Amino acid sequence: MSEILRLAIQKSGRLSEDSIKLIKECSIDFSSSGAILKSTAYNFPIEILYLRDDDIPGYVADGVADIGIIGENVASEQKKNVLTVDKLGFSRCRLSIGVPKNMDYQSAKSLEGKKIATSYPNILSDFLYDNGVKAFIHEISGSVEIAPSIGLADAVCDIVSSGSTLISNGLKEVDLVFRSEAILISNPTLSEGKKKIIDELLFRITSVKTAKNTKYILLNAPNKSLDKITKLLPGVKSPTVMPLAEPGWSSLHSVVKEDQFWEIIGKLKEAGAEGILVLPIEKIIV
Ligand code: PRT
Ligand code: ZN
């Protein structure tokens, strides 16, 4: 019987929607109705297990699941025997130190002898060790940000995204401890058959990720500007240039990186480009 790869994703929470979306964008179809705990893809040798995110590293390490999608923060905290296979670019957040807004915080040394509430005792302990600081770590599993206001701790080490939770609890973000995003982890001792399925999955994930960071661009330009414009838009190999019905003009098709987009658009217009169209790309195979 041919092998099937078991992928664990978060059942319901901040990682769930983007994890499902990524797998579906890889053209893998499966049922994700919310009530189910397990589903098998119709068109790819993969089975999806829906679990609590904190359980995923343990299940992957034990081989109950072969791979999993979790936040880097959870992987780093649990230090289970798993490999990080890829960074996935979503659920970005940071683990930061927060202190009451009127506290004078100069550096990590300001935490010496203080009591810090966190759900991430291992990551915090590494941070304190690296900074040569001795402090008391008070581990709590939720609502960390209220700890200072109820006298449970002097500071917190918690996940921050927009920062509004810290502010609404009278805290300020003073130090960065750890940056996180969703990652794909794997059991370190998989069969050759399962490794092949992971390779195929990674190939698809890379195509989807590259496409997300890239836009397809079409524009019209006078032929005399083509050299200049081609230099601005090198494309995957080189741009496609086609003559327009109007003599002396061409249509140019290429791709542009999302993060360079606005800078390049200005330069293209200066170089004489007109009628610029920018379209999303679904997948890029390089
Ligand atoms: O039920 P289960 O155990 O599966 O889920 P969970 O409640 O433990 O996790 P969940 O769904 O809250 O988060 C899953 C992962 O998402 C985390 O491990 C992080 O990797 C990532 N992530 C991204 C976040 C946030 N952003 C985030 N903002 N996890 C938590 N938060 C919380 C944070 O704890 C704090 O309470 O949001 C608040 C801060 O948000 P801001 O925007 O106010 O700064
Ligand atoms: Zn959790």
Side-chain angles (χ1 to χ4, degrees):
M1 205 186 89
S2 57
E3 289 190 273
I4 186 155
L5 191 73
R6 287 185 140 194
L7 162 68
I9 62 173
Q10 190 187 28
K11 180 161 169 45
S12 108
R14 287 187 165 86
L15 294 158
S16 312
E17 202 183 307
D18 285 334
S19 303
I20 291 172
K21 192 162 149 254
L22 177 68
I23 305 301
K24 293 205 164 167
E25 282 170 344
C26 292
S27 310
I28 298 174
D29 287 336
F30 58 97
S31 160
S32 52
S33 77
I36 49 172
L37 298 176
K38 196 170 99 169
S39 63
T40 306
Y42 313 121
N43 57 355
F44 195 81
I46 201 164
E47 194 172 66
I48 292 130
L49 309 181
Y50 300 88
L51 301 167
R52 281 201 57 198
D53 69 340
D54 317 73
D55 295 336
I56 293 176
Y59 281 136
V60 171
D62 296 345
V64 174
D66 301 309
I67 56 173
I69 297 177
I70 48 158
E72 231 171 333
N73 50 313
V74 171
S76 224
E77 178 62 27
Q78 296 194 5
K79 299 187 195 314
K80 292 275 196 286
N81 183 23
V82 295
L83 303 174
T84 299
V85 183
D86 202 5
K87 295 201 174 201
L88 301 176
F90 58 85
S91 290
R92 288 184 197 275
C93 58
R94 53 199 188 271
L95 201 57
S96 290
I97 301 289
V99 299
K101 61 175 189 291
N102 52 9
M103 176 178 160
D104 178 28
Y105 185 96
Q106 298 297 331
S107 69
K109 296 269 181 232
S110 306
L111 296 169
E112 187 71 36
K114 299 269 194 274
K115 203 171 183 188
I116 311 166
T118 189
S119 304
Y120 296 88
N122 290 324
I123 298 179
L124 174 58
S125 159
D126 289 348
F127 171 81
L128 294 173
Y129 180 83
D130 290 346
N131 286 284
V133 173
K134 286 204 169 59
F136 303 97
I137 298 176
H138 187 78
E139 185 179 350
I140 43 180
S141 57
S143 304
V144 171
E145 58 283 344
I146 63 160
S149 64
I150 58 171
L152 206 62
D154 306 301
V156 299
C157 171
D158 198 12
I159 303 240
V160 180
S161 173
S162 67
S164 61
T165 303
L166 286 185
I167 292 170
S168 61
N169 284 281
L171 303 170
K172 58 182 178 185
E173 186 180 358
V174 288
D175 233 328
L176 176 73
V177 175
F178 187 83
R179 270 189 203 287
S180 177
E181 65 183 270
I183 54 170
L184 186 71
I185 55 165
S186 130
N187 178 286
T189 53
L190 292 181
S191 68
E192 286 308 310
K194 286 186 176 182
K195 280 189 197 156
K196 275 213 177 95
I197 307 174
I198 295 182
D199 285 347
E200 173 61 28
L201 179 66
L202 280 177
F203 173 70
R204 295 188 187 195
I205 289 176
T206 305
S207 311
V208 170
K209 278 198 314 193
T210 315
K212 269 194 190 139
N213 295 332
T214 316
K215 298 276 179 252
Y216 192 74
I217 183 162
L218 300 96
L219 57 86
N220 297 330
N223 289 345
K224 61 178 169 31
S225 309
L226 284 179
D227 270 359
K228 211 168 174 186
I229 292 179
T230 303
K231 287 202 182 80
L232 289 167
L233 288 174
V236 174
K237 195 158 193 167
S238 69
T240 308
V241 179
M242 285 178 290
L244 285 186
E246 189 174 327
W249 280 74
S250 294
S251 162
L252 188 141
H253 300 200
S254 191
V255 292
V256 59
K257 290 256 175 282
E258 172 93 71
D259 53 358
Q260 298 166 352
F261 177 72
W262 290 111
E263 194 194 325
I264 290 181
I265 289 294
K267 289 185 183 159
L268 289 173
K269 285 173 77 179
E270 265 171 39
E274 290 180 10
I276 303 172
L277 292 184
V278 180
L279 309 172
I281 301 175
E282 200 173 298
K283 292 177 185 72
I284 292 189
I285 319 294
V286 283

